[in-house]
Amino acid sequence: MLVRRITQCILSVLLLFSISSLANDAFRLPEHTQLVEQIIHLNIDPQSNFFTGHTTLKLNVQSPTRYISYHSKNLEISEVSLQYQDKRHQLSIEQANQYEIVSHTVPFELSGDASLSIHFNGYLSKHMEGLYQANHEGEPTYLLTQFQSMEARSVFPTFDEPNKKSIYKFSISTPIGYDVLHNTPVKTITKQKSATLTQFRATPMTNTDILSFAIGKFETRHLYPSRYQSKVYSPQGLDVVLPEYFDRLVDASILSIEQYLDTPFPFNKLDFVIGNYGSVAAMENLGLVSLNVNQVPSKDATDMAHCQFKKLIAHEVAHSWFGNDITMAWYDDYWLNESFTEFMAAKVVQSLYPNQDMCTYTPQSSAFKDDTSNAMPLIFDVKSRKDTLAYGQLHYTKGRAVLEMLEQAMGDHKFQALMRRYVSLFSGKNVSTQQFVDLLKDPKLQNVVTDFTQTVGYPLLTLKQNKDQLVISQRDMSGRSNQLWRIPVSLKLWDGKRTSVHKMVLSQQSQTVALAGQVKAIFMDAGGAGYFRYINQSKYNDIDFKHLSQEEQASFRDNEQALAIAGYINYMQYIQNMVTELNQLPLSATRSNHIVSALNDAYLEHIQHNDVYAFNAYLKQSIHLQLDWKSLLNKPYAGELLKLFGVYLGDSKAINAAQIAYQSKSHHAHLESIVMTLARHTDIEHYKVLVNDFKKTPKPQRETVLSALGYVDSASKADLYYDLLLSDDTQGMVIDYRFQFPIFNPVLREAAAQLISDKKGAIFKRVSQESLQWFPYNFLLACSTKQKQAMHQLFKDWQDIPGLSKKLTVVSDGIDQCILDSKHIGKSLQTLSEAI
C-alpha cells in the first residue's frame, strides 16, 4: 500500500510537470487540444433559477497527453466520461482552478480523436451576464444571455477562448408556450408532454463570446427590404418603436461595408433581439445581435441621438467582419475587434447620412478624458474575467483614432487597400496586433501603432518659430519627461488663396519642418484625426474657420477647451467665445446644441462649488435667448436647454415648465431633463413623491427616470436615492454606476461618501465583486483635498476587493489634476466677475 501511494505521488508530480510544461500559460487551455464540434442540450424553465444540461465535446488531440481540460464556472458537474477508441472511460469530478479551468488526468496516453460527455446543472446569474432573467418585477418573464467575455462557461462547460473556434449545435427544452431564439435558424420544433424541444442548425466556426440565445414570448418584426430576411424580436409587453430608417440602415450598412472591403458579408443570418441588457448597449452575437432597449431613440430625439444610434447599428453589423469572422487571437488584442468596427461604422454613417454624421467626428475627443497616466493601455495582460472589466471606451475611441491617423498618413486609397488585404488574409481566422502591424511595412507607421497601443496618455504638440524655421516639439500631456511617441502629423496650410496639407511623422522631441511656398496661416490637425493636443506659438495665424472641414472645426473646439482647462489659455475667454456664438445662432442649429451641452459639461467637470454662484451670474447676464418653454419643450433640442436653465441655473420659468410637463405627460420626450430639474429643485416631500412615482413608471421610461432622480441637491435626497437604488424596485437594473449621480453635485461629494459607507452591506449584496472594484470611479469628478480624503476613508476597508486599489489610484490622481486645473479656472472666473 505504501509503495503504491509513493508511486501515485510520483505520477501526480510528473503529471503536474507535464501540464505546466505543455500548457501555453497557466490561465490558458493547452494548445494541443482542439474543439472540433460541441453539442449542447439545455433544459430551461424561465420561471426557475435552476437549469440542467448535457454536452458532448468532440476533440482532436494533436500531441500525446495524459490530461484533458475545459472551462466551467459555477456549474455543478455530476458526470464526466471520455469516449476514446470505442471505449467509454468514467472520469472523476474535478474542481476548476482560479482561472475556471477544469483538468482531468487520463489513465492512458491520449492522442487523436476523442469525445468528452458532461452532465451538469447551473443557475441563472444574479447579474446581467451569462444566462439571466432580464425582465423587471411584474413584467412577463424572459431570459437573455451575455457571454462576452468568458461567460459562456457559466452556462455550459466548453473551450471558452477566442482562438478555440468551433462548430456548435444547440437544442433547448422549455415549457410549452415559450419562444427560443439562437444564433442560427431553427432546425426542428418538437412538442413533448409538457415541454417544447427546439433544435437549431449548426453554427459556422465561431468563438463562444458571440454565442447567444433568448427565451420568452417575443413579438417579431420583419425588416424590409432585407437581403437576409432579417427580423427584430422584442419581448411581449416591451414597448419598442424602431426609427423608420432602421430597415434601410441594416441592409445599407452591409452593402456599404462590402463595397469598402471588397468582401461579401461573411454569414447568412442577421437578426436582432431587443431587451434589457443592463449597461451593455449592444452585443454582436453571431446572427442574433443584442440591442438594449434603452438605446432606441424616440422619433423626436435630437439629431445627435439618432446619429449615435445609426453608428451603433453600423458598428454591430461591422462586427460580422471584425470580431465574428476575424477574431482577436487573445483578449489582450480586444482593440482589434472594437476599433476596426468603430472605424467602419463611422465610414457607413458618413456615407449614408453625410448631413447627419456629427457623432462620427474626432473620436479622440472623448478618449482624452480617460487616457491618463494611470489608464490601461489598449494592449495589456488579460488572464481572467476580472481583467476584461478594464476594457473601456479607449478600445473604441483611441483605437479608432489610431486607425484614422494611419489612414491620414498613408492616404485613403492605400489604407483601404491595407484593410482589404487584412480581411482577405485573416478571414475566418484569429489575428494579433503584431500580424496587423506587419502588414504596414513602413517601420515609422509600425512604431505609431506600437506607441499608441502599448502606452497610455497622449502628447501635447507645440508649433514654434526658430528664426525662419518652423519647429514642432512634443511633450507628454501628463508631464512624464521620458515619454516619446511616433506621431503622424498633418498640417493644413493657407497661402492666402488656397489650402494644402503637409504630412510628416514626428519621431523626436523636437523636429524642424520644411514648408514649401508662402504660408500665412496654419492648422495643426488636418482632417481632425490627430491623437494629440496642440498649441500654435508660431508667427502664423490660425486658419479661418471657413477653410476647415467639420471634423477640423470639431478638433479645434475640443482642443481649445482642453487648453482652457489646463490653463494654457484663459478659461472664461473660452466660455465667452461660446456664449457669444450661441447668442448669434438659431436654437435649432446643431452647433447651438453642442454649445449648450458644453456649458452643461462645465458644471459637471470644471466649475467647483465655490465658483458656481459666479458662473451662474455670468451666464444669466451673458446669455440672451428668448425661451418660450411651452413650445420649446416640443423641440428635439430642448433637453440640453432644460438641463442648463432648469438644473444648473435654477431658472423659475424652466422649473415651472418642467413641473407642468411632468404632470401632463409622464413619457415626455425630454423626461430625463424634466425629472433632473425637479429632483434638483423640489423639497424633500415632493422628492419622495417623485421616488414613489418611479415605482409606477412604465418600463420603457424606468431606466431614464432612475438616473435622472440622482441629480439631487441635498444629503437627505441623496439618502433616499441610494435607498431606492438598493430596493427591490430596481431589481434587474444596473445600479453600481448610478451612485455617481448625487456625486456630480460638488456640494454632496463628502456626504455621498459617508452615505455609501453606511450602506456598504446592502451594496455588497446587490453588486458583484467584479463590479465593486469600479466603485471609486463614481468619484471621478471629485476635485478637492477634502473630497479626496472622504473617498479614501470610504474605501479604506474595501481594499481586499481585487482591482479596487488600482482604480482608487487612478481616481486619486485625477482629483489631484482637477485641483490644479480648478485653480486656473477659478482665477479666470474671479477676474471676469470683478470686471463685470
Side-chain angles (χ1 to χ4, degrees), residues 23-286:
N24 183 37
D25 287 294
F27 56 91
R28 300 282 295 270
L29 292 175
E31 292 183 356
H32 58 58
T33 304
Q34 298 300 317
L35 178 60
V36 178
E37 180 182 274
Q38 183 169 3
I39 302 169
I40 304 112
H41 175 73
L42 299 170
N43 301 296
I44 302 174
D45 181 351
Q47 300 299 330
S48 172
N49 292 323
F50 174 80
F51 63 90
T52 64
H54 168 261
T55 185
T56 300
L57 294 86
K58 297 182 179 180
L59 311 174
N60 181 261
V61 182
Q62 298 170 346
S63 300
T65 183
R66 300 194 70 165
Y67 72 96
I68 197 162
S69 302
Y70 52 87
H71 288 107
S72 176
K73 177 182 178 181
N74 298 330
L75 296 174
E76 297 174 356
I77 295 177
S78 57
E79 182 182 341
V80 183
S81 62
L82 176 68
Q83 189 78 19
Y84 182 62
Q85 293 183 348
D86 298 324
K87 292 183 179 180
R88 184 173 177 270
H89 306 272
Q90 201 74 23
L91 302 181
S92 61
I93 305 300
E94 303 292 345
Q95 297 300 311
N97 69 7
Q98 62 177 317
Y99 298 113
E100 297 158 354
I101 295 176
V102 178
S103 293
H104 298 274
T105 57
V106 181
F108 48 82
E109 195 170 73
L110 186 66
S111 180
D113 294 335
S115 65
L116 201 61
S117 176
I118 306 173
H119 292 265
F120 58 93
N121 304 323
Y123 296 87
L124 298 189
S125 173
K126 294 181 180 179
H127 308 285
M128 292 180 180
E129 58 194 23
L131 173 63
Y132 65 93
Q133 193 176 88
N135 53 290
H136 299 309
E137 188 176 355
E139 299 175 356
T141 300
Y142 66 100
L143 306 184
L144 298 175
T145 59
Q146 175 61 29
F147 290 164
Q148 188 187 69
S149 303
M150 306 186 193
E151 286 296 332
R153 64 188 69 174
S154 69
V155 180
F156 51 93
T158 189
F159 282 28
D160 198 13
E161 294 182 358
N163 64 325
K164 297 288 188 179
K165 288 188 174 185
S166 186
I167 295 170
Y168 298 88
K169 295 180 179 178
F170 273 85
S171 62
I172 299 176
S173 179
T174 63
I176 290 174
Y178 286 99
D179 303 316
V180 185
L181 312 176
H182 178 50
N183 306 87
T184 61
V186 171
K187 183 178 180 182
T188 63
I189 298 178
T190 306
K191 300 289 184 180
Q192 301 171 334
K193 288 183 179 180
S194 59
T196 301
L197 175 64
T198 306
Q199 293 181 297
F200 294 92
R201 298 189 183 280
T203 69
M205 288 290 290
T206 189
N207 59 302
T208 49
D209 274 5
I210 55 176
L211 292 174
S212 179
F213 56 88
I215 301 173
K217 299 176 182 179
F218 297 97
E219 303 285 354
T220 305
R221 172 184 162 179
H222 295 263
L223 301 191
Y224 183 81
S226 176
R227 188 194 306 180
Y228 298 101
Q229 289 77 52
S230 295
K231 294 176 283 295
V232 178
Y233 301 96
S234 60
Q236 290 182 7
L238 191 65
D239 186 20
V240 179
V241 180
L242 288 168
E244 59 183 15
Y245 55 75
F246 184 87
D247 299 42
R248 176 181 178 271
L249 172 62
V250 173
D251 252 29
S253 295
I254 294 173
L255 180 60
S256 179
I257 298 170
E258 285 179 329
Q259 291 175 341
Y260 182 86
L261 297 176
D262 193 26
T263 303
F265 186 75
F267 306 105
N268 57 16
K269 181 176 183 283
L270 183 60
D271 293 338
F272 297 80
V273 56
I274 299 177
N276 177 16
Y277 287 93
S279 58
V280 175
M283 176 64 199
E284 62 272 16
N285 301 314
L286 177 69

Side-chain angles (χ1 to χ4, degrees), residues 629-758:
W629 288 105
K630 184 176 180 179
S631 61
L632 188 61
L633 284 181
N634 295 317
K635 306 294 184 183
Y637 51 82
E640 290 295 327
L641 279 167
L642 185 57
K643 287 180 189 177
L644 178 60
F645 284 87
V647 178
Y648 298 118
L649 293 177
D651 179 81
S652 59
K653 292 181 179 179
I655 296 170
N656 184 59
Q659 291 171 335
I660 295 172
Y662 182 78
Q663 293 167 0
S664 62
K665 192 177 181 182
S666 62
H667 56 280
H668 196 286
H670 303 301
L671 182 61
E672 181 179 36
S673 298
I674 290 167
V675 176
M676 285 169 57
T677 299
L678 299 182
R680 179 66 67 95
H681 295 291
T682 193
D683 60 33
I684 189 69
E685 294 305 317
H686 284 93
Y687 183 75
K688 290 178 181 178
V689 173
L690 293 176
V691 170
N692 287 327
D693 285 350
F694 164 78
K695 302 171 185 179
K696 299 173 287 186
T697 299
K699 47 198 170 187
Q701 287 82 44
R702 287 171 68 86
E703 295 280 352
T704 296
V705 172
L706 184 59
S707 295
L709 284 171
Y711 282 73
V712 295
D713 63 329
S714 69
S716 56
K717 288 183 186 177
D719 191 17
L720 289 172
Y721 180 66
Y722 287 161
D723 284 343
L724 174 62
L725 291 183
L726 295 166
S727 72
D728 290 341
D729 295 304
T730 62
Q731 288 292 343
M733 304 178 76
V734 179
I735 64 169
D736 47 357
Y737 74 92
R738 287 185 160 107
F739 280 82
Q740 70 185 306
F741 295 130
I743 301 169
F744 284 168
N745 189 338
V747 75
L748 295 180
R749 287 168 186 160
E750 295 165 55
Q754 184 59 54
L755 288 171
I756 292 172
S757 178
D758 294 342

Side-chain angles (χ1 to χ4, degrees), residues 430-445:
N430 293 86
V431 64
S432 68
T433 298
Q434 188 56 55
Q435 288 172 299
F436 169 65
V437 168
D438 290 342
L439 294 181
L440 289 169
K441 305 301 183 185
D442 185 342
K444 289 183 178 179
L445 297 184

Side-chain angles (χ1 to χ4, degrees), residues 227 252-265 318 321-322 339-351 403-404 406-408 410-424 436:
R227 188 194 306 180
S253 295
I254 294 173
L255 180 60
S256 179
I257 298 170
E258 285 179 329
Q259 291 175 341
Y260 182 86
L261 297 176
D262 193 26
T263 303
F265 186 75
W321 286 267
F322 304 106
S339 299
F340 279 68
T341 46
E342 272 294 278
F343 176 86
M344 286 308 311
K347 293 283 188 192
V348 169
V349 174
Q350 290 163 3
S351 172
L403 296 179
E404 292 195 350
L406 294 176
E407 179 185 44
Q408 194 173 67
M410 296 174 65
D412 293 357
H413 294 300
K414 286 186 178 180
F415 188 77
Q416 183 179 15
L418 172 75
M419 293 285 280
R420 289 179 171 183
R421 178 165 171 73
Y422 177 82
V423 171
S424 175
F436 169 65

Side-chain angles (χ1 to χ4, degrees), residues 483-676:
Q483 184 62 55
L484 178 70
W485 284 270
R486 273 62 67 96
I487 313 163
V489 178
S490 293
L491 302 174
K492 194 166 194 175
L493 312 174
W494 172 251
D495 64 4
K497 295 181 179 180
R498 61 184 64 86
T499 60
S500 60
V501 175
H502 178 87
K503 296 183 180 181
M504 60 181 290
V505 175
L506 182 63
S507 56
Q508 302 171 17
Q509 294 292 157
S510 185
Q511 210 161 310
T512 301
V513 185
L515 299 180
Q518 297 295 318
V519 177
K520 295 186 177 181
I522 198 164
F523 176 64
M524 291 185 64
D525 189 22
Y531 199 77
F532 48 77
R533 298 298 192 188
Y534 47 90
I535 305 175
N536 180 9
Q537 295 181 348
S538 71
K539 69 177 182 180
Y540 299 112
N541 294 323
D542 292 325
I543 290 181
D544 192 285
F545 247 43
K546 66 184 179 182
H547 299 304
L548 299 181
S549 67
Q550 291 182 318
E551 293 89 342
E552 291 164 347
Q553 290 179 15
S555 170
F556 179 88
R557 287 165 172 149
D558 185 69
N559 186 69
E560 188 177 47
Q561 181 192 61
L563 298 181
I565 294 167
Y568 291 103
I569 62 176
N570 186 284
Y571 181 82
M572 287 309 298
Q573 183 60 56
Y574 153 74
I575 295 291
Q576 277 188 298
N577 291 341
M578 284 201 300
V579 170
T580 300
E581 188 179 1
L582 177 63
N583 288 332
Q584 297 171 350
L585 290 170
L587 287 175
S588 58
T590 299
R591 175 60 184 158
S592 295
N593 198 58
H594 288 174
I595 293 173
V596 175
S597 297
L599 295 175
N600 287 332
D601 288 343
Y603 280 100
L604 283 177
E605 301 178 20
H606 314 141
I607 305 301
Q608 302 309 312
H609 177 53
N610 294 335
D611 297 323
V612 170
Y613 180 82
F615 194 64
N616 280 358
Y618 165 74
L619 291 183
K620 287 178 180 179
Q621 179 175 331
S622 303
I623 296 178
H624 307 300
L625 300 177
Q626 299 299 317
L627 302 175
D628 177 6
W629 288 105
K630 184 176 180 179
S631 61
L632 188 61
L633 284 181
N634 295 317
K635 306 294 184 183
Y637 51 82
E640 290 295 327
L641 279 167
L642 185 57
K643 287 180 189 177
L644 178 60
F645 284 87
V647 178
Y648 298 118
L649 293 177
D651 179 81
S652 59
K653 292 181 179 179
I655 296 170
N656 184 59
Q659 291 171 335
I660 295 172
Y662 182 78
Q663 293 167 0
S664 62
K665 192 177 181 182
S666 62
H667 56 280
H668 196 286
H670 303 301
L671 182 61
E672 181 179 36
S673 298
I674 290 167
V675 176
M676 285 169 57

Side-chain angles (χ1 to χ4, degrees), residues 364 367-368 371 394 398 401 405 452 457-459 487 529-533:
Q364 65 273 31
F368 290 140
D371 201 5
L394 293 181
K398 181 178 183 178
M405 284 197 297
F452 283 96
Y458 50 93
I487 313 163
Y531 199 77
F532 48 77
R533 298 298 192 188

